[in-house]
Every structure is written in structure tokens, then in C-alpha cells.
Amino acid sequence: MPRRLSFLPFASVRARATLAATVVVSIALVAAGILVIAVLRHNLTDRAGLEAEVTARTVAGSQAALNGNFGSLDLPDDEDDPVQVVDSTGKVLAAADDLHGRGPITDYSPAPGAAADDGTGSADGADGADGADGADGTDGTDGSDGTDGSDDADDDDDGHDEAPARGKAGTEAERRTLTLTIGDETHEYRFAAVHGTTYAGRTYTVYAGASLEDEQATLDQVVRAMLIGLPFLLAVVAGVTWLVTRRALKPVEDIRAEMAEITDSGDLARRVPEPDSRDEIARLARTTNRTLAALEQSVERRHRFVADASHELRSPIASLRTQLEVAQQHPGLLDVPDLLHDVVRLQHLAADLLLLARLDAGERRADATVDLAALVRQEVARRAPTDRIAPTVRTIGTAPTVRGSRNQLGRVLGNLLDNAQRHASAAITVTVEATPDTVTLGVADDGHGVAPADRERIFERFVRLDEARSRDEGGAGLGLAIARDVIHHHGGTLKATTAPHGGALFLVELPRTHSNSCTEHGARPRSAANSTAGKGPVSR
């Protein structure tokens, strides 16, 4: 998080996780609440519609209605259940007490046209007229009545549906939600319209309603309960998330605190606590400890390197100073060859230290194709005038090419040959073997060899196994360390083992690069592989 936001209360992971969880849960609860309210409203409305339909069917199918005696209909007198019977012309034939003297409360789903007259229609009409209901005429919907509300019925009803058979009530019911004013109160009702036909063939529609007031009260109670419970539920979610996140992140805080103390104290031997779990935090702790261990080893190695380098540089510098001081007092005693030897040794030591520093810094190696067999032949030929023993070179396989730095690989070969020249009795063998995937370089001597316990130690910096040997003969102890570091830098391995005929054998294994030709500058043609290098014979 940027520094300018670090003062905010949600700067910590725990706070952000708590906020995110609370927001997500609140959104989910609101969405679920809306869905529950919608489903509950639909179910309550359907229940009221079913009650209205039962009432409408009961009235429409009563014998009084089928006989045309609408004045004697037994209608509910509860204002919550308004009922009105209207014929096909819009005339009110019967109505509940609260609807007396009013025109049709609605005009949806009107009765179909009258059935065919069988000669009794006039008598039926006389019987069906209700003086009280028809006093206001047939002027359609009363202006004080409400209009249609939410409507789940088809709007395609144009009043031309087929009328029920004589003496029958219709099997279909059309439901609608209407807003109706009765007295001084206005409420929503769920109405059901059922058609019927008298025995005389007169058609009519029974409109029966059921109040939605109770349903609305139920919905209001549910909404209030949700609004009251939602904050408490979100508080519980936030609290639980805060505590769980705090417990989950406690190991991270412990790791951070320990790392801070390690940084302040500089004690790289300390380690962060590792949880017993097998989750990501435990893996983070283990990785952190491995990093600390590697850092500790690196720092110790660097301190040891600086100390050893200082020690190694002190000797030739002290020797140079002594000789120069003697020469200042006694010019005739100046030993120029010895002085030059110390300067050359000091130069080589400085070059070795510089190369190790570059390797430790992760210097990117060259990416050229190097023919290892040609490199061996050239190095052996270059060293021939000064080497004590002429090496024997063997090449197994063809095109032993690798990718890397020709100079650094030549340095590795030179260091291995220097080591062999020091310890060999009479023979040194250099072998280059190419396999489909690797190229192996082996340098063997017939000396005393390396004890198994020392085969890894000899690759440490400034290590000499023969302490009795003078520094001038034994070198600074950096040759094998440089060789292994260079080989590792090239993706290969270097190890010490026992030669077939005794002595030490150093094996270098590098990934092979398949190339049609050797492009490295100075490489000799493969046809010259049988030539002699150095002072000894060269064979395949």
C-alpha cells in the first residue's frame, strides 16, 4: 500500500479482509432478502387470489345465481371480502353491503354476450333485477374506485370469450390486484373474476376480492425484522472475520517481528518460528529460514574470504617491502628475479580474487560455442614449454561442444592442469568424452590422490591439504575453488574421485551443445584431432 494511505484504518491486511468479508456478506444478505421478500409477496398474493377465486366460484355456482335470483344471493358482508355481480351490459346485479349504490368496481373480464334465448329470458331478467343495486344505473366504473394495480392476468381479454353453458359457472378465473376505496379507506385487493350463465341464458361476472392488508402487514414485519437483524449479523461477521484473520496472521506477525529483531541485531544465526501447520504460512517460514541459512553461510564465507585474502596478500606484500628496503640500503643485494616472482604471484592472486568477486556477483557468462577438445589441445600446446610432465590427451566421441566463455573454461582447464603438475609423479591424462547430452572433461594424475574425506573440502577457498608445502609451491588455494565456481556458473559439475591407475581424477561435466560447426575463435579443425599437443603423445 502506498505510504500516503498507511494512516488509513484499513491499511492492515486484517482490516481489509474484515471489510471485504463484511461487504460481500452484506451484499449477499441484501440480495437474499430481496429475493425472499419477492417470493413471499408472490406467495401471499397467490393465497389471497385463491381465497378470492373460491368466493367467486361459490357465488357464481350458487343456485340463486344460476336461477337468476341475484337479489337473494348470500354475499359476504366483510369489507375485506368485497363481492359484486355484473352482467354483460355492465349492470350491477348484486353487491356486498359495502358496495351498494356503486357502479361496477372494475371492467376487466366482462361477461360474454347473452346465450341464445329460450323464451324465459324476460322472466329471468325481472327476477334478477336488484332495485337497490341498479339505482345508480350502469355508468361503468365509479370514479372513486381504484384502478388496476399489479396485474398478472392476460390483457388480451376483449369480452368475446365463449360463455359458459346454461346453468353453469365458468371453469376459468382471471385474477388481478386492484386498489379500491370503500368508505374512507383505500386498500389493495386481489380480485378474481368468474363467469356464469343462468338457466335462462343470461351471462354474468362475479368479482370477488380478498384484502391484501394482512399480507402487506406480514411483509412489513419481515422487512423490519431483516433491517433490524442485518446490522447485528454484519457485526457478528465482521467480529468473527477479525478474530479468525488475526489468528491466521499471527504466525506472519511472529515472522515479521523475528525478522525485525534479526535485522536490528545482525545475528543471522537466529531463525523465525515455524508453525506446525502445513499451509502457506508454514512454507513461508521454512523458506525464510532457508534464506537466512543461505545468507548466514554467504556472510560467513565472505568474512572468511576477506580474512584469507588479507592473509594471502600480506605475505607477498611484506616480502616485496623487505626486498625493496634492503635494496634501498644495499643496491647490490637486490634480487630482481625473486622480486619479479613475488610481483607475478601477487598479480595472479589479485586476478583470482577479482574473478571470484565477479562470479559471486552473478556476472553473466558469455554464450559462445566452445569445442572442448580443441580448447584442450590449444591449452596443452600453450603450456608445453613450462610444464614438468607432458599430458596425454584422449578424445572420445565427436563434436564435444558446449556453451559458455572460452576464457573461463580455459582457466578451469589450466587450474586443473596446474594441480595435476604439482602432484603427479610421471603421468597426466586429459580425457574429453562426448555423449548425446553431456561433455565430460577428465584430468587424472598418478600422484597420491585425494582422501574421500577431503574431496569436498579441497574446493573451498584458500584450502591446502599439504600444509608442509611452501606457499610458493602450493599456491594460494584458490585454483580448485575458482574451477568449481566457473563450472557451476556454466550449469555443470566438478568433482574429485580416484583415477583408474591411482592418483586423483577431476571430472567436469557440462551440458552438450549440438552445432554443425565450431564458431569459437581460434578453434582448430576436427581433422587435426590426431595432432600432437605438448611434449607427450596425443591419442584418441
Side-chain angles (χ1 to χ4, degrees), residues 109-123:
S109 188
D117 192 1
D118 60 355
T120 61
S122 60

Side-chain angles (χ1 to χ4, degrees), residues 74-138:
D74 183 15
L75 300 179
D77 56 1
D78 189 353
E79 66 177 7
D80 290 337
D81 300 308
V83 178
Q84 192 177 70
V85 183
V86 182
D87 67 3
S88 60
T89 63
K91 180 181 179 180
V92 177
L93 302 177
D97 292 342
D98 293 327
L99 298 179
H100 275 302
R102 297 179 59 170
I105 56 177
T106 183
D107 58 356
Y108 84 91
S109 188
D117 192 1
D118 60 355
T120 61
S122 60
D124 182 62
D127 293 338
D130 186 346
D133 294 338
D136 58 353
T138 58

Side-chain angles (χ1 to χ4, degrees), residues 297-358:
Q297 293 176 2
S298 176
V299 171
E300 290 180 355
R301 184 180 181 184
R302 186 174 298 276
H303 290 167
R304 200 164 51 244
F305 175 77
V306 172
D308 292 340
S310 300
H311 182 72
E312 292 294 332
L313 288 171
R314 184 175 59 183
S315 297
I317 291 176
S319 176
L320 285 174
R321 179 178 178 179
T322 300
Q323 294 185 58
L324 290 174
E325 289 177 348
V326 170
Q328 185 179 15
Q329 299 296 327
H330 307 282
L333 298 179
L334 179 63
D335 188 354
V336 175
D338 191 31
L339 186 64
L340 180 61
H341 179 269
D342 286 341
V343 171
V344 171
R345 180 168 174 243
L346 187 61
Q347 180 183 8
H348 288 169
L349 180 58
D352 290 344
L353 294 176
L354 178 61
L355 177 58
L356 286 173
R358 288 161 53 190

Side-chain angles (χ1 to χ4, degrees), residues 385-511:
T386 58
D387 276 351
R388 179 172 61 89
I389 300 173
T392 299
V393 179
R394 293 189 176 90
T395 302
I396 303 174
T398 59
T401 55
V402 297
R403 303 290 293 182
S405 169
R406 181 180 181 85
N407 291 335
Q408 290 186 2
L409 293 176
R411 181 68 175 275
V412 170
L413 178 59
N415 289 354
L416 295 179
L417 288 174
D418 287 342
N419 184 76
Q421 290 287 345
R422 282 193 203 98
H423 301 286
S425 297
I428 299 175
T429 303
V430 181
T431 304
V432 179
E433 181 179 359
T435 65
D437 298 320
T438 61
V439 176
T440 302
L441 169 66
V443 178
D445 62 64
D446 60 350
H448 298 292
V450 181
D454 296 325
R455 288 177 183 175
E456 283 298 319
R457 181 169 170 264
I458 58 175
F459 292 107
E460 297 179 6
R461 298 174 183 182
F462 301 105
V463 170
R464 303 181 189 84
L465 298 184
D466 187 1
E467 296 296 342
R469 185 169 52 223
S470 69
R471 291 184 182 273
D472 291 341
E473 294 177 355
L478 292 177
L480 294 180
I482 291 175
R484 171 168 276 191
D485 284 353
V486 170
I487 294 302
H488 284 176
H489 199 56
H490 284 70
T493 60
L494 170 59
K495 62 182 180 179
T497 183
T498 303
H501 303 291
L505 170 62
F506 290 86
L507 291 176
V508 175
E509 189 174 274
L510 292 168

Side-chain angles (χ1 to χ4, degrees), residues 19 135 171 246 272 379 410 454 502 515 535:
L19 176 62
T171 58
R246 178 182 181 181
V272 301
E379 182 66 17
D454 296 325
S515 177
K535 296 184 289 184

